[in-house]
Every structure is written in C-alpha cells, then in structure tokens.
Amino acid sequence: MPHWDSDTEKITVDYHNIINKKKRPVCVWLTGKKGLVVQSLLAVILFFMGMIVGYLVRKNVHETYIRSNVTCAEQVTSDYNITVGQQLRRTIELENIREDLKLITLEARVPGTLTGQLFGEKIRKWLNNSGLDNVYMAPYNVLVSRSGSESSSPVPNSVQLLNNNGTSVFKCNTDNHPPRQLVMNPYSFFSKNGTASGDLVYANYGRSRDFKQLDALNISVANKIVIMRYGKVKGVDYLKVLMATRYKAKGVLLYADPADYNGPGVKNVAKTWWLPGNAIQRGFVGRWNRGDPLTPFVPAIDGMYRINSSDDLYATKIPVQPISYDDAQLLLRELTEGAPPEGWKGGLNISYNLSTLQNNQTVQMDVFSKSVQQTINNVIGVIKGTVESDRYVIIGSHYDSLTFGAVDPGTGLSIFLELAKKFGKLLKEGKWRPRRSIIFAAWDATEFGNIGSEEWLEENKKELSTRTVAYINLEAAVTGNWTFSADANPLLRQVLYEATKVVLCPDPGHHDLSVYEMWRQRLPIVPGSKDQSKPKVNDFTKVGDQLAFNYFIGIPAMDIHYTYKRQLYKLENYPVYGTALDDFMYVSTYIDSNFTVHKALAEVAAEVLLRLSSSNKLPMDCSDYNKPFEVALDYTERYYGKRIRGANLTLDYLKKAVGNFQESTKRFQKVFSTLKEPDNFTEIIQMNNQLLQLPQAFIAPYSRTPPTGTTPLSSFSILPRYNPSRDAYYFVNLQYAIDFGPKDIDTWKNKVNFTLSVTTAAIQSAANILSDGVLNRT
C-alpha cells in the first residue's frame, strides 16, 4: 500500500509487495503479463490520488492561516504589501459612507435605553455581515445620566428669571429647538438634581483665575447662580462647576458664546455652519470620567463591588444646566454692576457686566436629572492574524449620542463601518490576512465619561497591555475640510507620515498633492515658520476613548480627523457640537457635500491599519520621544528649577535619566533601521517586542492609591504633555505637585521629591528596555 509521510509530504509505494503478494485472482485482467500492466497502472493512479488527497488535507487544515500558494517560510516573513493597500483603498466607497451616516443619524442613541440597545444590535449585525472572524457584544451594568424628561417629573429642566415678588419674567427655552422628538432635552450629564435660586454672577470661562479675579474685585458668588461660557478648560467642564462649588455658588448655567463658536465678525448665522442663538450644547459635568463611577478600576460586570449610588460621589454638588446664547444674553443684559476685565467680553451685543440683577430679580433653576444603572453594550469584531495572532491592532469609534450625533461620532462611525466591510471583503476573497490580529471596537456610553471603552480596558487590562500594538480612534472624524490632522503618541508619528503619503488630497484644487503634502503645508511642525519639513502631530487635545489606552495602560494611541482652518477660526469646537443641529443635513451641506473628505480619511485609516497589522517591522521610531522629553526637561528647569533647588532637591538625576533615554533611542533606532527579513527574523521580533514594552514604562505607579506617607499623582502617565499657552511640553505630575501640592512645606517637599523619583525611575526604565539593561548593565 502507498505510505504517506505527513511531515515530508512524500508517498512511498511498495511496488514489490503490490506485484508479488499472492492472492487468489479475482479477475483474468489481473493475472499474467496483462495483469502486471494493469496492476502497475493502478499503482500509478493510487500514487497520484494520494498526492491529491494529501494536498487537499493540508490545504484544508491550514487554509485559515496560510494562503494556498505560499510556503511556511514565506508566510513567517510576510510583510506589508503595497498592492493590497492599493486594492483596499480603491474599494472604499464614499456612497456607502454617506448612506451609513444617514442610517446612523435617524435618531439619538442614548446609552442604556431601548433605542441604544437596538442600535448596538444593528452594529453587531453589520459587523457580522462584513465577514469578520468573530463578532460579540461586551455588556456592562453601569451608571448613566438621564434628563428631566425621563425622570419622575414629566417636565424638562427649567431656568427662569423672577421679579422681586416671585413672578416669572421670562423662561429660558430648555426644550429642543427646533422641536426634535428623537433626541434628549438639553441637560448636563451627571448634574445634581434640585432647585437653586439667587442673584446672578458672570464668571467668564469659570477657570481658577477667573474666580480669583472676581474675588479681587470684591464680587462674591456665594449663594448665587453663576453663569459661565463653555471653553478654555478642555473637555472637563466639571472643573468649572468645581470652582463655582468651592466659592459656594448655589447653581451653574453654561452656554456657548458666539465668540468661541462662531467666526470673527459673523453676524448672520442663518443657513450657515455657524451656531444659531437658539441652539443648546449638552455636555458631561460628572466628577468621574474614567468609566463607570460605581466600579472604579474594576469592570462593571457581575460579582464586582459597587459603590452605593446613594452616596452621590459622582454627580456635581450643585445643579447645572446648559442654555442657549440667546437666553444667556437676556439674563446677562439684566446685570448692572462690575465692568468686565480684559478678555471677559464675548460676542454678544451686551456690556458683560459681572453682577447684581436689576430690581432685586433672581434666577431660579429646576433640574430634574437623575442617575440610574443600565446595561450598555460594546460591539467587538475580530480578524485573527497569522504569524502574530497574539498581537492586536485596535480601531474604535463610539456609537452613542444624546442628539443625532452626525459629526460626533457619526463621521467616525460611518468610516469605521466602511473599513470593517472592506477588510472583511478581503478576507472573503481569500487574498489577504493580516500578520497581527485586528480588533474593531464600537464603544457605548462614551458621552457619559468614556464608560464603554474604560470598562472593556479594565476587564481585559492584563491581556491588552502586553499584546496591543496601537489604538486608532475615529470619533468626530470630519469637523471640517481644510486639512488632515492627528493627535498621537510620538511612537505613531512615522506610520501616520507613511500612510498619508499614499492617499491623494481630497481638496478639489489640489488633487495632484497627497494628504501628507497638504497637511505639511497647512499644519507645519512649526506653525507660522517656513519649516515645512514635516507636518505637526499634536499631543492629545480632546477627551475621548483614546486617552485611556495611551495614558492608563500604556498602549500608543492616535485620534485622526479632518478639521477646519483653526488658524483663522479659533473655535472651541465645531460650532454645533452637542446640539440637536448636529445632523446629517449639517454634515452633507456645510462640511463635506460629496463625502470625498470622508473617503480620503477612510483611506488613511485603512493604510495605518494595514501597516501596523501587516508590517514585519513595526513602523515606529522611538527617537520621536526625544524632543518632548527634552523640551519638558528644559521647561522644568526654566520655571521650577529655582524652587526645586530651594527645597534642597535636585534635577540632576532626572537630567541623567533623560540623557540615557535619548542615547538608548538613538542606538536602538540605528540598529532597527538596518534589519531585514528573512536574515534578521529573530532580531526583528525581539526589537518589535521592545517597542511594545516601551510605552508601559511611562505608566506611573500609585496614581490613585500610593503607599502610606506619599500622596497620589495627578496622572497615570509620566509622558510629557503639551501646554499651548507656553508652546512647550511639561511633566504634568511634576507641575501639579509643585503648583498645587500641600501647603505644609515639609509635606510639599515630600510630594515633589516622590514625584521627581517616580518620573526619573520611569524614564530610566524606558532606557533600560531599549538597551537590555538587565543583561548589559556594567
């Protein structure tokens, strides 16, 4: 009988045994010379049948992992394929993105409601139909915020001006305008409920300096309602409320001033992309934006300890309500005392006086918001990798919204869904499978404090922190059509540069340029200079799902988007952010009418995803960390060196660690750039792993629960952050320890010393990771 050796794929036929084995002839055709010929032919047929069966068996066993005409050696050394990238980009259809955005924005997708749950199921169905390897729901039972219209009171929150006998002079419009039955009434998420009334004080942006300035002018906010404009405190409006609470205010009104949300000199906003006077911006004001407030640092799943929700540890201490700038103008016009300091006047046609309503009038606000526990659902889709299936590249977009959410998150979500379809199509055709696994993650409850992504990270922290290559965030992905822009960890700059170079610019007058070239011209690395050697990659400028990946568990992250001309329009956000006007018509009329910008951004995201998941050498350059650390060290010396030395402390060890890290990155990158497969396969895997370990070094210990005798750090990460007011990077933990540390000098010194030690040790450990410090220390 033929013998098949599965290891060598050889078939051995014992012809002698076949020919000479004596059996009773069953047929004359098998005897004599004629029989010998027939038996030989049968042996040959059996041989080829064995070959065919062996091939089919092997192909069937390995078809998930190995392409039919590629050897194992070739598969192990597989690399990013530019042809696959071109084919993938050609398949991206702007009409698909347009139609998906229409479906996404039919109604609000409020976390924990039936509508939100049904939309999560719809996304699961879309991802399943895309042809991904696995799609599943990740549910969590979390605390969410509800507006007055859904609480025990049948009426929405209200704000009114009362005369001295308690009669209403006028009521602010806190219903949706124009009337929208499919979105939530305007409210501030996680505001305390209740009634507050009193005189009115204008506090500009509600920053610490603004309240100190009111103090200097002998204007008290105690037992009064404070009205403040959105902006200047990026993404954390709770800090405004916190300042008002510290100064003993009774309630807070927030509004979007036209100076911050409309262009300079804009008067007529009708039928434009600017913010109209009757629109109301909703927003998060809770005191905890790190996931579910009832289960801090553990996932909100069955069996976990939960803080008693009646403890009210998450909501603001005073009622908060947003209003329109038309209504803000009517209230502010009634103030009679206190000329506004420089920089306090907005874009309304009023004097912006600071205090004292005329004729003993008062403002009364009734807030009926409440917090309830509900189930939210993330939707996770998976494409399993070949050689390094235990390495993950994650792309995510949240799908929840309290309004129609066309720009945020609809533009990002529609691109996300198109990418899932096209990557799934490649799988179905059998033409491609990534080297590393790709995870598509649709987050729920981002609007309530990034709850969905945070809970998923908390549940899978150990696995994700050691296996994830990068996270790509698509949220408010198309806020304008001026240029591509990115907020990113320095380790991801190179892949952004490479990906944008192969995608054509969508600007009608510049189709001859790449996205990279237009980005470099319009957002150069040094704004206002002639240095256009590289485009500027920003530090993270907004709160979103990307922050927990980058700063909480040490996964390099990016948020990519197309934006408006920020140099000209110095806006706090796109004009109708958080309002009921953020709908499909707004995007298709005023931002990207033919959806070519959406398509270009989808192509960039596809290229980033392909290169990170398929390149044998990770497209990263660790020396891109050097400039931020160098600038942060200089910043610390310039602004805090004297105070540190005055406390008998030193920056010498921090300087040495930064120097060691810079030298390690240069040596590492010099070697890494020369490696090629297949000759350096082992070295490439090893150095890829070092790059993945590097961001872990920057996660600080004891960020919330330090050992006895020390105090918490303000941030989980010691990575330098960018300070736009001084155009410089700084060490956030160190600055907070010095500027906002304990008043007692000895306690202050201990905190600064501890923070210096943690920062220095983290940077040195990063240097050791790149230089194999345990093995090579002298």
Side-chain angles (χ1 to χ4, degrees):
M1 293 293 292
H3 173 68
W4 174 40
D5 188 332
S6 61
D7 293 330
T8 62
E9 299 192 9
K10 293 182 178 180
I11 294 179
T12 305
V13 181
D14 189 346
Y15 295 101
H16 179 78
N17 193 50
I18 291 174
I19 297 172
N20 294 311
K21 191 169 184 176
K22 294 183 179 180
K23 290 185 177 181
R24 183 182 299 274
V26 296
C27 177
V28 70
W29 293 104
L30 298 178
T31 60
K33 291 183 179 180
K34 191 178 293 184
L36 182 61
V37 172
V38 171
Q39 289 179 38
S40 298
L41 287 173
L42 286 173
V44 171
I45 291 169
L46 286 173
F47 174 82
F48 282 107
M49 286 180 66
M51 291 289 289
I52 292 169
V53 169
Y55 169 77
L56 291 175
V57 168
R58 183 176 183 276
K59 179 177 182 295
N60 182 63
V61 170
H62 298 287
E63 67 178 357
T64 305
Y65 301 99
I66 299 179
R67 292 168 299 183
S68 58
N69 59 344
V70 180
T71 67
C72 290
E74 289 173 328
Q75 183 66 17
V76 167
T77 59
S78 65
D79 202 357
Y80 163 76
N81 188 319
I82 192 171
T83 303
V84 173
Q86 291 169 343
Q87 292 172 347
L88 178 64
R89 296 198 310 274
R90 281 197 294 267
T91 65
I92 291 173
E93 299 174 70
L94 57 85
E95 195 56 41
N96 282 352
I97 299 173
R98 179 201 298 269
E99 291 306 309
D100 282 347
L101 185 60
K102 273 186 184 179
L103 292 173
I104 290 167
T105 56
L106 290 175
E107 57 186 335
R109 306 165 298 282
V110 181
T113 64
L114 178 60
T115 305
Q117 292 171 355
L118 291 176
F119 193 82
E121 285 290 346
K122 187 178 293 185
I123 289 183
R124 184 183 64 82
K125 183 177 179 180
W126 282 341
L127 293 184
N128 261 327
N129 292 341
S130 295
L132 308 185
D133 293 326
N134 185 29
V135 178
Y136 63 91
M137 308 285 275
Y140 302 97
N141 188 259
V142 303
L143 199 71
V144 297
S145 180
R146 290 286 179 262
S147 73
S149 60
E150 287 196 346
S151 66
S152 57
S153 171
V155 296
N157 301 340
S158 71
V159 177
Q160 54 187 324
L161 182 68
L162 306 177
N163 62 22
N164 58 5
N165 64 8
T167 305
S168 179
V169 177
F170 83 89
K171 293 185 70 172
C172 296
N173 178 16
T174 51
D175 283 321
N176 289 310
H177 191 84
R180 303 283 180 111
Q181 298 300 317
L182 300 175
V183 301
M184 301 284 280
N185 283 322
Y187 72 113
S188 294
F189 317 148
F190 291 109
S191 165
K192 176 183 176 62
N193 62 18
T195 297
S197 63
D199 203 353
L200 188 67
V201 175
Y202 170 58
N204 198 23
Y205 292 107
R207 299 165 295 189
S208 175
R209 72 184 81 163
D210 296 328
F211 281 94
K212 287 178 180 178
Q213 200 152 12
L214 287 173
D215 246 5
L217 295 169
N218 294 316
I219 297 174
S220 172
V221 304
N223 297 314
K224 298 174 183 175
I225 306 298
V226 177
I227 184 169
M228 301 179 278
R229 45 179 169 160
Y230 283 116
K232 303 304 180 189
V233 184
K234 282 286 185 184
V236 279
D237 291 322
Y238 169 69
L239 293 179
K240 299 172 183 285
V241 182
L242 178 62
M243 294 308 304
T245 305
R246 285 179 178 174
Y247 282 83
K248 303 187 184 309
K250 293 178 72 175
V252 166
L253 298 175
L254 295 168
Y255 78 99
D257 195 282
D260 304 305
Y261 287 86
N262 288 341
V266 171
K267 300 298 181 184
N268 182 13
V269 299
K271 296 183 179 179
T272 71
W273 89 307
W274 302 116
L275 181 69
N278 54 20
I280 304 174
Q281 181 183 136
R282 299 140 178 84
F284 175 82
V285 296
R287 289 184 285 159
W288 179 261
N289 65 350
R290 287 292 326 282
D292 175 37
L294 300 185
T295 56
F297 307 113
V298 294
I301 56 178
D302 291 345
M304 295 295 105
Y305 170 78
R306 281 176 165 78
I307 297 171
N308 187 345
S309 60
S310 64
D311 290 344
D312 200 22
L313 297 174
Y314 44 88
T316 60
K317 295 293 186 183
I318 56 179
V320 184
Q321 175 64 25
I323 60 175
S324 68
Y325 70 72
D326 275 353
D327 286 338
Q329 178 169 267
L330 293 174
L331 292 175
L332 291 168
R333 185 177 286 159
E334 299 295 312
L335 296 176
T336 60
E337 297 180 6
E342 184 179 352
W344 282 48
K345 282 191 174 183
L348 298 173
N349 186 27
I350 54 174
S351 61
Y352 282 91
N353 288 334
L354 302 179
S355 67
T356 313
L357 290 166
Q358 63 180 340
N359 302 324
N360 294 318
Q361 296 177 120
T362 57
V363 171
Q364 178 174 307
M365 50 191 299
D366 296 286
V367 174
F368 306 108
S369 303
K370 68 175 183 179
S371 301
V372 295
Q373 282 184 248
Q374 297 287 349
T375 298
I376 64 165
N377 291 285
N378 297 330
V379 188
I380 309 297
V382 175
I383 296 176
K384 294 179 181 178
T386 54
V387 182
E388 299 179 73
S389 61
D390 62 341
R391 293 286 182 258
Y392 312 149
V393 181
I394 306 172
I395 184 166
S397 176
H398 79 89
Y399 66 85
D400 62 299
S401 178
L402 278 293
T403 70
F404 297 107
V407 176
D408 180 10
T411 54
L413 184 59
S414 57
I415 291 171
F416 169 91
L417 293 172
E418 176 67 1
L419 291 175
K421 292 173 190 173
K422 299 315 180 192
F423 275 90
K425 185 172 183 289
L426 280 180
L427 290 181
K428 290 176 181 177
E429 293 172 349
K431 297 178 179 178
W432 167 88
R433 184 170 284 275
R435 181 187 185 99
R436 304 175 186 93
S437 296
I438 296 174
I439 297 173
F440 291 86
W443 311 119
D444 197 1
T446 291
E447 298 289 355
F448 290 153
N450 307 313
I451 293 179
S453 58
E454 291 273 0
E455 296 309 307
W456 192 69
L457 286 175
E458 286 173 352
E459 184 178 17
N460 303 287
K461 179 180 177 181
K462 297 298 183 182
E463 177 182 356
L464 294 171
S465 63
T466 57
R467 297 185 179 189
T468 306
V469 174
Y471 173 71
I472 305 157
N473 196 54
L474 293 167
E475 191 170 335
V478 182
T479 61
N481 50 35
W482 174 246
T483 185
F484 175 83
S485 182
D487 304 344
N489 184 293
L491 205 55
L492 299 178
R493 289 179 185 173
Q494 294 305 313
V495 72
L496 281 168
Y497 294 154
E498 293 171 10
T500 51
K501 286 177 181 177
V502 300
V503 178
L504 290 178
C505 173
D507 192 311
H510 298 91
H511 287 322
D512 56 325
L513 300 179
S514 67
V515 169
Y516 175 87
E517 290 165 324
M518 184 57 74
W519 178 24
R520 185 175 62 181
Q521 288 181 25
R522 291 180 171 174
L523 287 179
I525 197 167
V526 183
S529 76
K530 294 181 180 180
D531 181 9
Q532 293 185 352
S533 56
K534 289 181 180 179
K536 181 176 178 61
V537 177
N538 301 311
D539 191 19
F540 292 103
T541 57
K542 60 182 181 179
V543 174
D545 296 302
Q546 71 279 2
L547 296 188
F549 284 88
N550 200 71
Y551 293 130
F552 176 40
I553 62 173
I555 294 171
M558 67 171 72
D559 181 90
I560 57 176
H561 41 274
Y562 251 81
T563 186
Y564 46 85
K565 194 173 184 179
R566 292 180 180 268
Q567 302 97 314
L568 176 61
Y569 305 123
K570 299 184 183 301
L571 308 178
E572 286 296 319
N573 212 322
Y574 66 95
V576 302
Y577 168 75
T579 74
L581 300 178
D582 186 1
D583 57 13
F584 178 80
M585 186 278 292
Y586 184 81
V587 173
S588 60
T589 303
Y590 304 125
I591 297 180
D592 188 20
S593 58
N594 53 18
F595 280 75
T596 54
V597 172
H598 284 75
K599 184 178 188 300
L601 188 63
E603 290 185 32
V604 171
E607 275 294 328
V608 170
L609 205 50
L610 270 179
R611 290 167 187 267
L612 288 171
S613 65
S614 298
S615 299
N616 53 28
K617 285 171 58 177
L618 289 175
M620 298 175 174
D621 187 339
C622 59
S623 64
D624 283 331
Y625 278 120
N626 288 346
K627 190 66 174 179
F629 276 104
E630 180 183 320
V631 172
L633 184 61
D634 179 69
Y635 180 101
T636 305
E637 176 63 60
R638 185 185 311 171
Y639 294 106
Y640 301 109
K642 188 174 180 179
R643 290 181 66 185
I644 289 172
R645 285 185 288 273
N648 201 26
L649 300 174
T650 180
L651 289 173
D652 290 349
Y653 298 106
L654 179 62
K655 292 176 182 178
K656 183 178 179 181
V658 170
N660 290 342
F661 177 67
Q662 290 178 322
E663 285 302 313
S664 293
T665 61
K666 292 173 184 176
R667 288 195 302 267
F668 180 95
Q669 208 60 42
K670 184 177 180 180
V671 174
F672 192 56
S673 63
T674 63
L675 300 182
K676 299 185 183 301
E677 286 192 326
D679 297 339
N680 305 117
F681 171 73
T682 303
E683 292 91 338
I684 287 172
I685 293 293
Q686 176 184 332
M687 297 187 84
N688 279 348
N689 289 338
Q690 287 173 281
L691 286 171
L692 294 184
Q693 293 164 5
L694 184 58
Q696 302 293 312
F698 302 128
I699 301 303
Y702 314 128
S703 298
R704 288 294 180 270
T705 53
T708 303
T710 62
T711 50
L713 303 177
S714 61
S715 172
F716 283 96
S717 174
I718 62 94
L719 278 175
R721 307 282 182 91
Y722 183 70
N723 182 346
S725 64
R726 288 177 171 168
D727 190 27
Y729 286 91
Y730 66 101
F731 295 115
V732 62
N733 284 317
L734 198 52
Q735 176 171 316
Y736 271 72
I738 296 170
D739 286 342
F740 306 107
K743 292 181 179 179
D744 177 76
I745 186 63
D746 289 332
T747 309
W748 176 88
K749 179 179 175 179
N750 285 339
K751 174 157 187 172
V752 173
N753 194 11
F754 174 71
T755 308
L756 263 174
S757 300
V758 169
T759 305
T760 300
I763 297 171
Q764 185 57 55
S765 71
N768 293 342
I769 286 172
L770 296 177
S771 59
D772 292 325
V774 171
L775 299 179
N776 299 322
R777 185 172 179 175
T778 56

